[in-house]
């Protein structure tokens, strides 16, 4: 494993821990994806729901575009190696 791979893996582990901490404290976790257009992301909620959202121009609130189905949410978690809740 190269030094860059080690740093990347440590960063990924930190994100996974932060996700669990945010969800356990009752807050949503933002999942950014390079596959989404600018200003869009996913919000994962403590109850397991994941919503595709966009940030309003003012940058202060999210607008829900779509709630992911159970299968879509599971596929997204699998893609990012996130544990299920």
């Amino acid at each position: 494993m190269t030094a860059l791979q080690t740093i990347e893996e440590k960063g990924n582990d930190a994100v996974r821990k932060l996700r669990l901490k945010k969800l356990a404290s009752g807050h949503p976790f933002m999942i950014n994806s390079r596959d989404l257009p600018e200003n869009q992301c996913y919000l994962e909620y403590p109850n397991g729901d994941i919503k595709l959202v966009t940030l309003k121009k003012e940058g202060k609130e999210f607008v829900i575009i779509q709630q992911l189905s159970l299968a879509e949410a599971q596929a997204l978690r699998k893609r990012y190696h996130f544990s299920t809740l």
Side-chain angles (χ1 to χ4, degrees), residues 8 10 14-15 17 20 22 27 32 42 46 49 56 59 67:
E8 183 177 333
K10 285 183 181 183
V15 168
K17 288 177 184 176
L20 294 175
K22 294 276 287 184
H27 299 284
N32 291 306
Y42 298 102
D49 289 346
K56 275 190 165 183
Q67 179 160 333

Side-chain angles (χ1 to χ4, degrees), residues 50-84:
I50 297 180
K51 297 177 182 178
L52 175 62
V53 298
T54 187
L55 190 60
K56 275 190 165 183
K57 284 186 179 183
E58 299 81 29
K60 294 185 180 181
E61 73 181 72
F62 292 103
V63 176
I64 298 169
I65 298 172
Q66 171 192 354
Q67 179 160 333
L68 274 62
S69 69
L70 181 59
E72 291 169 325
Q74 289 173 337
L76 187 69
R77 286 187 190 97
K78 183 177 181 179
R79 178 175 164 198
Y80 289 104
H81 305 284
F82 289 155
S83 59
T84 56

